[in-house]
Amino acid sequence: MMSPPQRAPARLKQLPGRVTTPLAIALGALGLRLISGVGFANYDTLYALVWGQQLGRGQTPQYGVALAPTPHPLVEAFGLVFSPLGPSATETAIVWVGFVALSACGWVVYRLGEQWFGRLAGGLAAAILLTRVPVLSYGVRAYVDVPYLALVLGALLIESRRSRAGAPVLGLLACAGLLRPEAWAFSGLYWVYLAAGARWGASAGAETGARREAGAAHALPPVAAHASPPSAPQRGTTQRGTARLAWLGVLAAAAPLAWGLSDLLVSGDALWSLTNTRDTAQTLARPTGIGKVPIDIPRRVGEILRVPVLVGAALGGGLSLLWLPRRARLGAVAGVLGVLVFAVSGAAGLPINTRYAFLIAAILCVFCGAGVFGWVCLEREDPRRRRWMLASAVVLVALGAYIPAQYRTADRELGNLRRQQSIQNDLVKLVESHAVGVRCGAVGVPNHRPIPLLALRLRRSPAEIVSAQVRQLSSGTYIDPANSEVRDDYTLDAHDPRRLTAGVPPGFTETSANRSWRVFERCAG
């Protein structure tokens, strides 16, 4: 009877983790949904779903509409795949993707902290990240930045567990690169790191082989010593290494090539996403440019973490690099690269938004965990352990003292989002009751904010939904806010273009209403 493969026990040991990890992330997503009490898709994500829906109908996505966000190919593909299920199911699914990604971020940050500085540090880091108001706010609204963060942190976790892991890391970064272009830089830098390691390894191997051959040559006759060619195994190893590096290079370049090809096929311009993002940033007066980088990047990170966490991260980063350098090195490098890539993107004319600093903030959360609990990695007899514990106690007290303020801020933000979701749900109800439609022509709205939601729910091109601040309708359907709260709360941006004063067009008659919206119509002829 043949004995079972030797790898079976190892696989059986890994099985509980393969089961418990997805279960823990799923339960975490459910818990976050219940605790937050809110969940809906934001403007950018809705547009991506609309474009995916258009692909499902065999139409070309309308990238050229006013204030269209940056296309995200992976979310468009999601919208395409889910389009047969209808708008409601598609939006619900993407919202749950957002919660799962948020939960996954917490899990991966915990694992990174555990890997580098122990379970206590990892647990505190995850708790800090998941209670940051901006992270929660963007997560419950299904922004692509949260799945992006989960993928990049997942790549970092794989690399921390197995140095030069290669394809698994680049695979996750390729997926992340279809959500945000910063991942392209991480993929390229990681490939260079792999290539440098391969060349160094080949050089070291060649030197070792040369020394061995030189030693063997002394035992051979002169003719035989000079006639021996390089061994076939060495040539085969070099060829396999070159082929692997070439394959990894293709993987590293996959996301930017796919994104550029998508832009080219849809708009005729492979750089559409870059130029459109720059134009929109200028239209909405978003901070950008090299002059803003030194001030705005620290400010964005501070908005996410606040002073106690920053102090804890500074303590943890300084002491771990000084006393636990092998544990802290990878995290420090990742943090520095995150800052550099963020700075380069800002200098290139892309907006310096708070959500683009999530990666930096997540790594600093891990170092804050190290600031409070990193001392457990030192030997009990080590005199530095006691000094670290005393310093960490001060940080822990500061973190605890800030909890009430953090809770109030989170409660206020989630309350605002619940009101926005209520307004949005009231608009959807009008569509579902057929009070809003295209039977009389185009649909007018008071600003750009409702456009992608209505385009998704009505299964129409976003070009058929018109902002009354840009163009006044002569016929069609116009949706007006029912009160000043809706008018003030449900807007896109303070710098939303306002060439006209939004209002009910002349000759339109009210046909329906609810607590948030009033519907007016005028059918030509």
Side-chain angles (χ1 to χ4, degrees):
M1 181 180 295
M2 295 181 63
S3 60
Q6 294 297 314
R7 292 185 180 180
R11 289 176 180 172
L12 289 175
K13 289 180 181 179
Q14 293 174 358
L15 186 59
R18 291 176 179 174
V19 173
T20 58
T21 294
L23 180 61
I25 292 174
L27 290 175
L30 180 61
L32 289 166
R33 179 65 181 87
L34 294 174
I35 291 170
S36 65
V38 61
F40 61 97
N42 68 89
Y43 181 87
D44 291 19
T45 301
L46 284 170
Y47 252 114
L49 296 180
V50 168
W51 291 329
Q53 189 184 71
Q54 286 190 287
L55 287 171
R57 296 195 298 265
Q59 301 173 350
T60 301
Q62 294 292 312
Y63 285 0
V65 294
L67 294 186
T70 304
H72 301 287
L74 194 58
V75 187
E76 289 180 50
F78 183 94
L80 171 62
V81 170
F82 276 79
S83 60
L85 300 181
S88 179
T90 302
E91 186 179 356
T92 300
I94 200 68
V95 169
W96 275 109
V97 167
F99 278 105
V100 169
L102 188 60
S103 178
C105 287
W107 181 85
V108 177
V109 164
Y110 166 72
R111 289 302 185 190
L112 285 171
E114 178 191 44
Q115 184 84 12
W116 297 344
F117 306 113
R119 290 184 177 180
L120 291 174
L124 180 60
I128 291 172
L129 180 70
L130 293 179
T131 55
R132 297 309 92 187
V133 176
V135 176
L136 273 175
S137 177
Y138 286 109
V140 303
R141 288 181 286 167
Y143 270 87
V144 301
D145 306 85
V146 177
Y148 164 80
L149 176 63
L151 290 167
V152 175
L153 290 175
L156 182 60
L157 178 61
I158 291 173
E159 183 63 20
S160 70
R161 289 177 169 176
R162 181 161 62 93
S163 180
R164 302 183 192 277
V169 173
L170 286 172
L172 289 180
L173 290 177
C175 293
L178 295 175
L179 294 173
R180 290 215 51 80
E182 290 88 344
W184 306 349
F186 296 133
S187 294
L189 291 169
Y190 184 67
W191 184 85
V192 170
Y193 166 71
L194 294 175
R199 292 192 184 96
W200 182 87
S203 176
E207 291 178 5
T208 302
R211 287 194 297 270
R212 288 176 180 172
E213 290 178 5
H218 290 294
L220 295 174
V223 175
H226 289 286
S228 300
S231 63
Q234 287 181 354
R235 290 198 305 271
T237 301
T238 302
Q239 290 172 356
R240 285 195 298 271
T242 302
R244 177 177 180 271
L245 200 58
W247 155 242
L248 293 176
V250 171
L251 195 55
L257 290 175
W259 197 316
L261 180 61
S262 173
D263 278 0
L264 181 63
L265 293 174
V266 173
S267 68
D269 180 5
L271 300 178
W272 168 265
S273 294
L274 175 63
T275 55
N276 180 66
T277 302
R278 284 174 172 172
D279 293 343
T280 302
Q282 292 178 357
T283 300
L284 299 178
R286 300 279 169 80
T288 188
I290 187 65
K292 298 286 186 178
V293 166
I295 297 175
D296 278 72
I297 289 182
R299 181 181 296 166
R300 301 305 178 215
V301 175
E303 286 177 3
I304 301 169
L305 298 180
R306 302 301 181 182
V307 173
V309 179
L310 292 174
V311 171
L315 176 68
L319 293 183
S320 62
L321 284 171
L322 184 64
W323 293 340
L324 301 168
R326 293 185 63 184
R327 291 177 174 270
R329 191 176 298 125
L330 179 59
V333 171
V336 170
L337 290 178
V339 172
L340 289 176
V341 170
F342 191 8
V344 170
S345 65
L350 302 180
I352 305 175
N353 289 338
T354 300
R355 53 196 167 101
Y356 301 165
F358 281 176
L359 177 61
I360 303 168
I363 293 172
L364 290 177
C365 285
V366 178
F367 278 109
C368 184
V372 176
F373 293 116
W375 49 265
V376 301
C377 299
L378 297 174
E379 297 292 337
R380 290 185 177 274
E381 299 77 14
D382 194 324
R384 299 172 298 181
R385 182 182 172 109
R386 181 176 178 80
R387 283 178 275 166
W388 195 333
M389 290 175 66
L390 292 173
S392 70
V394 176
V395 174
L396 193 59
V397 169
L399 291 172
Y402 196 73
I403 289 176
Q406 185 72 15
Y407 174 81
R408 288 192 297 271
T409 304
D411 185 61
R412 183 168 57 251
E413 175 66 12
L414 291 175
N416 291 335
L417 293 178
R418 290 186 197 104
R419 284 194 295 275
Q420 291 184 29
Q421 183 173 8
S422 176
I423 294 169
Q424 189 162 296
N425 288 344
D426 285 344
L427 185 56
V428 170
K429 289 175 183 177
L430 291 172
V431 175
E432 292 176 342
S433 67
H434 305 290
V436 171
V438 294
R439 53 187 169 272
C440 292
V443 177
V445 290
N447 59 70
H448 285 87
R449 173 73 180 273
I451 290 177
L453 176 65
L454 288 171
L456 179 70
R457 294 289 177 158
L458 292 170
R459 294 182 170 92
R460 312 299 294 189
S461 165
E464 296 180 54
I465 318 297
V466 180
S467 170
Q469 294 175 340
V470 176
R471 179 166 68 89
Q472 188 180 72
L473 295 179
S474 58
S475 63
T477 301
Y478 181 73
I479 307 168
D480 197 50
N483 52 63
S484 59
E485 181 181 359
V486 175
R487 184 177 294 106
D488 295 338
D489 288 352
Y490 202 69
T491 59
L492 175 62
D493 191 276
H495 299 281
D496 193 351
R498 292 179 173 86
R499 292 198 293 271
L500 301 174
T501 300
V504 181
F508 279 61
T509 303
E510 183 171 346
T511 57
S512 186
N514 59 26
R515 61 183 176 179
S516 299
W517 302 98
R518 301 165 64 199
V519 181
F520 298 81
E521 282 187 353
R522 183 185 182 188
C523 295

